[in-house]
Structure formats: structure tokens, C-alpha cells
Amino acid sequence: MGFEDMNMRNGRALSDQWADSVVVRPRTTEQHITVHKRLVLGFAISILTLIIVTVIAITLSVSFERCAAESSGTLAGNGSSNKSSQSRDRSISHRESEDGQQPWRHLRLPATLRPRHYDLRLSVYMDNFTFSGEVNIEFECVNSTKFIVLHTDRLEVNKVQVYSDSKKTGVMRIHRRFYHQPNQVYVIALHREMKPLRTYKINITFEAQIENELLGFFRSSYMLYGERRYLAVTQFSPTHARKAFPCFDEPIYKATFRVSLRHESSYQSLSNMPVEASTSDEDAWVTNHFSRTPRMSTYYLAWAVCNFTYREAVTDNGVVIRLYARPDAIQSGSGDYALHITKRLLQFYQDYFQVKYSLPKLGKTVKISQKSISKTCILHNVKSLSLVSYNLYILTSASAYFYDDFFVI
């Protein structure tokens, strides 16, 4: 017992000595925080690395797909853009086709037709200031079209017929016809197209008022022996021929004109060209047929219906110049200066430019009425394919000249 107790005592003593020799150092709070920081930082770095790798992989895959699509020429990448461009092209072509099918909506006439000649016949009624007319227009088709677009303004169109001058002559069927007021055009739509390089004719009958304004075919008045008398003249410049007859009323469309004016025998009529023939009706009406004009624009065409007498002079080159005026003005010599100065000016310009006057006549019509303090002079001048009319007021007390109305055709 003594020996075992001694061993136990010695063993416990040894273990106690070893335990005493080993020092256990406890972990502090700072050490715990450092460890946690390291773990969190490592986890964040790993997550960030994973994200960067994923982004790079996605970018490379997208780049590879684009390169493959471009090299193979497939429609995978361009399908949506092609569809949008195709829809855009369809909408544009649809709008263009609509405009092409409605040429009357354009401000300018379509270039599909080109006039050659006008045969114009008018009946002028000075008692109620109206006129009726018939125009035959010969034109050439430049491009295929079903539409005939003409200028008209304040005209009542009664009848329209279209003829073909080709081998198969005859009346062409009209699908519809209507007036488009915004652009002052009258539209004739045919059932079938007109062919290029072929000539056609259109016949239109119409009627209208002789307006009380200085545009188109209008009326004016003056006093003679205490009685008011009337005349009718034209003012077509720049775009007012459409008020007198249906036409291609743009300067680019040049054609020849043949005019016939029917009126009461108490009146006489004037136009650009001299009278070719004159016929009388049983009802005391007369019809003057004027010669064919050279090719010219519509605004050069002019005519007048009045009851004047005239005085004439002849240039050295044989051009006859006539001055038309009221009988009392002719007798008093009020228009002699205008007649003689016109003769001198015409001779001067012919010598200066070395160009002869192109028409067979030169006519002026002057109307002078006496008033207490003024004179009213209206001059109608048929020259160089034109008609010049204006009102000239001469105030005798102030010796001043006032131009009330002036227009050139």
C-alpha cells in the first residue's frame, strides 16, 4: 500500500508539474475579428472573380455569334432591320403610287400631255354679260396615263369628249370627270390609258360670266353722248386664261391658237391675228374667224369685243398700224400721238435689232371719255402676240398722270 500510494503521489506530482509547465493562452477578441475579415475578403474575391469570368464568357460567345452570322450571310442578325426597311419602302412606294394616281393634287400640271393646237369658238352676250364657248384641244401623249388635267376657273363645263387620232379613231370612254377647286383644275379620268407618242383631241363646251374685274375675260364701260356703253376684253397674264377657256395654263405649254368670236353686229372683235373670214347670221349676229397664231403660251392670247372706229398708218416695211377708238375721239385726233409714236418706235426697234416685226398687223384701241376734271383713256394694243390695256386718268388741273388699271397679256 505504501508503494502504490507513493507511485500515485509521484504520478500526480508529475502530471501537475507538466500541467503547470504548459501555459494555455486564451484567444482575444481582436484575433477573432481578423480571422473573420480574412474569410469574408476571400469569399468576396472569389465571387468577383466568378462574375468577371462569366462576363468575359458571355462577351466572347456573343462576339463569336456575330462573326458567324456575318461570315455566313444568314438573316439571323439582320432579320429585324430588313423587316423595318421593307415596311418603310412599302409605305414610301404606297404614298408615291397614291400621288401618281392623283396628279390633280400637285400644284403643277403633270408632264404626261403636251398641247399642240387650240381651236376656240366663243359666243359673247353683251346684254347679260355672259359667254359660251367650245374648245377643241389637240395634244400629244408623252407618257402613258388615264388622266387629262386642265386648268379651269369659274367655268361651268357642260360636255366633254375625248377622241383618238390613231388608226382606231373614235370616242374614248370617260370613267369620271370632276373639278378640283384647290388647284383650279378639271380632271377627266378615262377607262383606258393613252399611249405615248400618239395624238388625241378633247372637245369641251362651257359657259361663264363676263366678270366685272380686271382678270380673265372681263367687261368695262364708258359714257358716250350721255349713254353708258360696254366692252369686253381679256387679261390673261400671268395665270388667268383658265377663266376664259379650259387650257394648259402654264407658260411651258406652248401651242397655236385659232379663235372665232360670235357677237352682235353692232360690235366688232379684235384678236392677236387679223380676221381671216367673217360670216353673218340671220339674227343679226356676226362671227369673225381669226388666223392661226404662232406657237405661244396661253397668257399671250387676247381678244376684245367693242364698237370703235380706227385710224391707221403704215411703216416703211409695210406693217399696218391701226388705232381703234371712239368715233368722237378719232374725229378730234385725240389718238394721233399714240398712232405716230407707235410707228416711230416700231421702226426704231426694227432698225436697232435688225429684226422684222413678226406679225402682219399692229393694232391699238383707245377709248377716251371727257369728264369735268379728267379724261379716261383705255388702250388696247395688239402687238407682238400681246394685248395691252390700261386706264389712264389725266387730271387737267394738276397735269399729273395716274394709272388706275394696267395689265399686259
Side-chain angles (χ1 to χ4, degrees):
M1 290 291 294
F3 181 77
E4 291 178 356
D5 293 337
M6 186 177 295
N7 289 336
M8 292 179 61
R9 291 176 182 173
N10 291 333
R12 189 178 298 114
L14 290 172
S15 61
D16 293 338
Q17 290 177 1
W18 180 82
D20 292 338
S21 64
V22 176
V23 178
V24 179
R25 297 179 180 178
R27 293 183 177 180
T28 62
T29 305
E30 290 80 3
Q31 291 176 344
H32 282 285
I33 292 173
T34 302
V35 171
H36 287 307
K37 283 182 178 181
R38 289 176 180 176
L39 291 175
V40 171
L41 181 60
F43 181 75
I45 291 173
S46 62
I47 293 297
L48 181 61
T49 304
L50 181 61
I51 292 174
I52 292 173
V53 171
T54 304
V55 170
I56 293 173
I58 293 174
T59 304
L60 292 175
S61 63
V62 171
S63 300
F64 287 146
E65 288 179 0
R66 288 180 180 177
C67 293
E70 290 178 358
S71 62
S72 61
T74 60
L75 300 178
N78 300 329
S80 60
S81 61
N82 288 340
K83 289 180 181 179
S84 61
S85 63
Q86 288 176 1
S87 62
R88 249 191 337 266
D89 294 340
R90 287 195 191 100
S91 62
I92 293 173
S93 62
H94 179 66
R95 285 196 301 269
E96 290 179 351
S97 62
E98 285 184 350
D99 293 339
Q101 292 299 321
Q102 296 181 350
W104 55 88
R105 296 188 180 276
H106 297 279
L107 293 177
R108 299 288 301 274
L109 293 179
T112 53
L113 305 177
R114 183 168 51 203
R116 287 185 173 182
H117 176 70
Y118 293 82
D119 190 358
L120 179 61
R121 294 184 290 272
L122 297 178
S123 296
V124 183
Y125 307 98
M126 296 298 294
D127 54 347
N128 59 1
F129 305 117
T130 61
F131 69 97
S132 61
E134 179 182 2
V135 61
N136 285 284
I137 307 175
E138 179 184 345
F139 60 90
E140 178 186 1
C141 180
V142 179
N143 297 315
S144 299
T145 181
K146 291 183 179 180
F147 301 102
I148 302 174
V149 185
L150 299 171
H151 282 119
T152 62
D153 186 20
R154 306 179 189 179
L155 299 178
E156 183 178 348
V157 177
N158 298 324
K159 185 179 178 181
V160 178
Q161 286 184 322
V162 181
Y163 301 90
S164 173
D165 275 358
S166 60
K167 295 180 180 180
K168 297 180 180 180
T169 58
V171 180
M172 302 181 66
R173 291 181 58 192
I174 296 177
H175 176 63
R176 61 172 177 149
R177 54 188 178 94
F178 59 92
Y179 177 64
H180 185 62
Q181 195 276 333
N183 292 334
Q184 298 179 347
V185 293
Y186 195 82
V187 183
I188 300 100
L190 303 174
H191 270 279
R192 61 184 177 90
E193 285 188 343
M194 294 176 288
K195 302 301 181 182
L197 303 179
R198 292 185 181 178
T199 57
Y200 298 84
K201 288 184 179 180
I202 182 171
N203 177 271
I204 304 176
T205 59
F206 57 94
E207 56 187 17
Q209 298 283 331
I210 301 176
E211 299 291 343
N212 191 22
E213 60 178 1
L214 302 179
L215 296 174
F217 188 26
F218 68 96
R219 66 181 184 267
S220 182
S221 64
Y222 58 92
M223 299 297 296
L224 180 63
Y225 305 127
E227 178 186 0
R228 181 168 295 278
R229 298 194 178 185
Y230 293 90
L231 71 153
V233 293
T234 57
Q235 148 60 4
F236 290 163
S237 179
T239 57
H240 301 295
R242 64 191 70 178
K243 292 181 172 64
F245 63 101
C247 57
F248 296 83
D249 198 16
E250 291 182 7
I252 193 174
Y253 295 109
K254 294 177 173 57
T256 57
F257 296 82
R258 190 182 295 274
V259 180
S260 298
L261 297 176
R262 180 176 177 269
H263 49 79
E264 297 179 54
S265 57
S266 59
Y267 291 88
Q268 63 176 320
S269 53
L270 306 172
S271 187
N272 302 88
M273 303 301 290
V275 176
E276 189 176 52
S278 183
T279 58
S280 299
D281 300 337
E282 296 179 356
D283 54 357
W285 280 60
V286 64
T287 303
N288 288 330
H289 305 275
F290 296 90
S291 300
R292 190 182 185 123
T293 69
R295 288 184 69 250
M296 62 185 189
S297 303
T298 51
Y299 71 90
Y300 275 123
L301 187 64
W303 63 78
V305 178
C306 55
N307 43 16
F308 300 137
T309 57
Y310 65 87
R311 183 171 292 178
E312 69 178 20
V314 182
T315 64
D316 297 339
N317 295 329
V319 178
V320 178
I321 303 173
R322 287 183 177 179
L323 177 74
Y324 289 84
R326 313 165 38 143
D328 57 342
I330 290 294
Q331 293 176 3
S332 63
S334 300
D336 290 349
Y337 176 77
L339 179 63
H340 296 310
I341 197 64
T342 301
K343 177 182 175 181
R344 292 176 57 189
L345 288 173
L346 182 61
Q347 188 65 50
F348 169 78
Y349 283 119
Q350 287 186 133
D351 296 339
Y352 184 82
F353 292 107
Q354 295 298 312
V355 177
K356 292 185 178 180
Y357 184 68
S358 58
L359 296 180
K361 72 178 180 70
L362 174 59
K364 290 186 175 182
T365 304
V366 180
K367 301 185 300 297
I368 303 174
S369 64
Q370 298 289 339
K371 293 185 179 181
S372 58
I373 60 171
S374 67
K375 294 182 179 180
T376 303
C377 170
I378 305 175
L379 175 65
H380 306 282
N381 182 16
V382 183
K383 61 173 183 176
S384 185
L385 307 179
S386 65
L387 173 66
V388 180
S389 300
Y390 59 88
N391 289 346
L392 171 61
Y393 288 87
I394 307 173
L395 297 182
T396 55
S397 59
S399 299
Y401 295 85
F402 295 88
Y403 290 86
D404 177 66
D405 306 308
F406 182 85
F407 52 92
V408 179
I409 297 179

